[in-house]
Amino acid sequence: MHTERIFLAAALFAFTCSPATAQLQLEQAFPNLSFTRPVELQHAGDATNRLFVVEQAGIIKVFENAKSTASAKTFINITDRVNDSGNEEGLLGLAFHPDYESNGYFYVDYTASNPRRTVISRFNVNATNPDSALKSSEFIIIEIPINLPNNDNHNGGKIAFGADGFLYIGPGDGGSGGDPMGNGQNLQSLLGKVLRIDVNTPSSGRNYGLPADNPFVGNTSAKEEIYAYGFRNPWRFSFDPVTDQLWLGDVGQGRREEIDIVEKGMNYGWDIMEASLCHEPSSGCNMTGLTLPVWEYDRSLGQSITGGHVYRGANVPELVGAYVYADFVSGRIWSLRYDGVNPAQNSLIRDTSLGIAAFGVDQNNELHICAFDGKIYRFQPTITSTNPNSPQLAQNYPNPFNPSTTIKFTLPHAGRVELSIFNITGQWVRTLQNGIAQAGTYFPNWDGKDHNSILQSSGVYLYRLKVDSRVVQFRRMLFLK
């Protein structure tokens, strides 16, 4: 048993500590599909295995999440109300309500004209056709005016629901260079902020409510929607489904691109600072009360950061727990590991020629990459078993799961089978199957409990299939309570 524990520890070390390098390959996730300026990819959280891609001009496409998918349907087309005349304008964000499966609500972020503004709206899915939404159902939640009406850049556009059920919004500073209106530091402006609102409980004549613990609730000198401030152009943020941390990529002025972990009430510096460098003034700036980025890079590596996701999938275990992001101009893709204590560790994954505009995840937390060549990419899985004459261990489903999940395996011939579960340290948790099994496909279920029927804590677990005392395969799964 001691020898086996060492073997498991070695396997886990290889899975969790292997450096993310250029050995990871990209592939087209949907070779038969092509999109026009895709800026967002989402799933609806309804277990239908569909994906939704946002095209900047004002169209959302929906399709089956399968490599063989031959076509995509138009979920909604709102090009008639979207202003995409500027390079950074258009339909920029999509978020499905946490209860979308029952209420059919989804939310979008788009830029509009006359006057130039950001619009956050709610739409309804067609009750008789899940692949189509009702264009006439638009319900405007909030509009954010641009106080430099001739500027078309720095619109941010990302929206997402947090684990708290509130909607987070990331408008940029309103455009032009150097934040001439001072929006980033102006608490009376909604621009240059991360906002947090409650779309379920409208109040005080608004079409939304204010979470009671927003940092400026009750403060007459600040906008109560503000969650954090001091941002230039937050181009994509995301929540880590394990830690609930909010990771954000903020596009720099001319010297630095930065990654922030956003916390309530914090000031991230713009336009006093550009990442860790003084901006206004150019030297000797007052850094009191400012939160520095967890990572930054200079213009030799890229010129426009595209924020990504902390990888929590299972197909590329080398990346589990790493924040994967890119630069739109240079095409480089990196992974960043940061535990809040030790210095951040950044690794180059791929150096591409792609204009990477966004990252998104499917219902299994597998990462997808939206590029302006019109294609959606993903990393080639590094855990595979391709010999049809060998036992096959599939990825558990659902993943992440709560409270139970199914683990599928297939035997081409009879043999002695052991299917066991281990925690991230290599400790045995439970054996689901142990004994002689005939050829066929099996679907054992794990309820999240150990061999003593004690419910386990949230986290990453490893499951292992042995056939005739030979290790066939390891896979990972994520338990989220």
Side-chain angles (χ1 to χ4, degrees):
M1 190 67 176
H2 177 69
T3 302
E4 184 176 76
R5 179 71 179 274
I6 293 173
F7 176 79
L8 279 167
L12 281 164
F13 180 84
F15 277 11
T16 58
C17 298
S18 297
T21 69
Q23 294 174 358
L24 292 179
Q25 302 295 316
L26 292 178
E27 64 180 11
Q28 288 189 19
F30 312 104
N32 300 316
L33 302 182
S34 187
F35 304 91
T36 301
R37 295 176 71 94
V39 293
E40 185 76 293
L41 180 146
Q42 296 285 341
H43 69 92
D46 59 358
T48 60
N49 198 36
R50 295 177 301 162
L51 289 176
F52 298 77
V53 167
V54 175
E55 295 184 328
Q56 190 173 350
I59 298 173
I60 301 175
K61 298 289 185 65
V62 60
F63 55 94
E64 182 74 11
N65 181 15
K67 192 170 186 178
S68 60
T69 295
S71 62
K73 300 176 182 178
T74 295
F75 183 63
I76 195 169
N77 182 336
I78 56 170
T79 53
D80 60 335
R81 61 200 73 178
V82 170
N83 172 24
D84 69 329
S85 60
N87 186 54
E88 297 178 22
E89 294 181 304
L91 178 57
L92 302 175
L94 167 66
F96 289 89
H97 193 281
D99 294 325
Y100 174 77
E101 194 169 1
S102 59
N103 63 28
Y105 293 159
F106 65 96
Y107 299 78
V108 298
D109 180 309
Y110 65 88
T111 53
S113 300
N114 302 318
R116 191 170 247 134
R117 66 200 186 277
T118 288
V119 180
I120 310 297
S121 286
R122 186 190 76 197
F123 287 87
N124 294 18
V125 70
N126 189 327
T128 61
N129 181 0
D131 290 335
S132 177
L134 300 174
K135 183 175 175 180
S136 61
S137 68
E138 182 174 18
F139 178 73
I140 294 176
I141 304 297
I142 184 174
E143 295 183 294
I144 304 172
I146 306 300
N147 54 8
L148 281 173
N150 293 324
N151 283 319
D152 58 14
N153 61 350
H154 303 182
N155 294 297
K158 178 68 179 181
I159 55 175
F161 282 94
D164 53 17
F166 300 132
L167 183 66
Y168 290 71
I169 305 166
D173 67 6
S176 192
D179 193 9
M181 303 300 292
N183 291 321
Q185 294 298 311
N186 181 6
L187 294 179
Q188 290 284 0
S189 171
L190 296 177
L191 298 171
K193 313 296 192 298
V194 170
L195 312 176
R196 183 173 71 158
I197 62 174
D198 183 353
V199 298
N200 296 317
T201 56
S203 63
S204 303
R206 295 178 293 251
N207 290 335
Y208 59 91
L210 297 169
D213 64 337
N214 269 11
F216 300 105
V217 166
N219 185 338
T220 57
S221 63
K223 293 289 188 182
E224 296 176 292
E225 295 88 348
I226 295 172
Y227 181 79
Y229 63 107
F231 301 103
R232 183 175 181 271
N233 188 26
W235 187 251
R236 298 331 192 199
F237 60 78
S238 65
F239 290 93
D240 180 347
V242 172
T243 67
D244 290 335
Q245 286 180 316
L246 175 55
W247 291 74
L248 180 148
D250 198 14
V251 179
Q253 173 72 32
R255 294 188 292 170
R256 290 287 192 273
E257 305 296 308
E258 71 179 85
I259 295 171
D260 299 303
I261 295 180
V262 179
E263 297 181 8
K264 182 172 62 177
M266 296 294 100
N267 180 355
Y268 290 84
W270 178 253
D271 68 337
I272 299 170
M273 302 188 72
E274 180 183 358
S276 65
L277 304 179
C278 288
H279 177 263
E280 185 62 44
S282 58
S283 62
C285 58
N286 184 359
M287 297 173 57
T288 303
L290 304 184
T291 301
L292 295 179
V294 299
W295 188 256
E296 62 187 275
Y297 61 92
D298 64 27
R299 288 302 174 98
S300 69
L301 297 176
Q303 300 179 41
S304 181
I305 191 169
T306 297
H309 288 256
V310 176
Y311 181 74
R312 298 296 182 183
N315 289 343
V316 191
E318 298 93 325
L319 291 178
V320 170
Y323 179 70
V324 180
Y325 69 101
D327 189 275
F328 178 81
V329 175
S330 72
R332 292 184 173 98
I333 307 173
W334 297 275
S335 69
L336 180 71
R337 294 187 181 274
Y338 179 66
D339 61 8
V341 177
N342 299 299
Q345 299 293 320
N346 194 64
S347 300
L348 179 67
I349 300 175
R350 295 293 299 173
D351 191 349
T352 79
S353 60
L354 300 172
I356 296 171
F359 292 82
V361 295
D362 63 18
Q363 65 185 19
N364 293 320
N365 275 327
E366 292 301 337
L367 193 65
H368 293 72
I369 301 167
C370 298
F372 269 16
D373 66 352
K375 295 297 183 179
I376 308 299
Y377 294 87
R378 64 186 175 195
F379 294 110
Q380 289 181 354
T382 58
I383 294 186
T384 57
S385 178
T386 57
N387 185 351
N389 297 316
S390 297
Q392 306 289 314
L393 179 63
Q395 185 61 51
N396 64 301
Y397 183 83
N399 186 48
F401 65 94
N402 180 18
S404 64
T405 189
T406 298
I407 299 172
K408 173 185 173 182
F409 67 90
T410 301
L411 303 177
H413 52 75
R416 177 171 290 279
V417 171
E418 178 191 314
L419 179 64
S420 296
I421 296 168
F422 302 85
N423 66 22
I424 195 65
T425 67
Q427 294 176 315
W428 172 69
V429 173
R430 188 169 172 183
T431 295
L432 299 182
Q433 190 153 341
N434 190 8
I436 298 296
Q438 301 302 311
T441 299
Y442 295 81
F443 301 88
N445 183 270
W446 185 44
D447 59 5
K449 298 177 181 178
D450 69 3
H451 58 286
N452 292 317
S453 296
I454 298 174
L455 188 65
Q456 299 298 284
S457 59
S458 295
V460 176
Y461 290 82
L462 183 76
Y463 58 98
R464 179 195 67 185
L465 179 66
K466 290 175 68 175
V467 179
D468 296 331
S469 299
R470 179 172 56 89
V471 175
V472 173
Q473 201 171 1
F474 292 93
R475 280 191 181 271
R476 285 173 166 266
M477 55 185 168
L478 181 59
F479 184 21
L480 290 180
K481 291 165 61 176

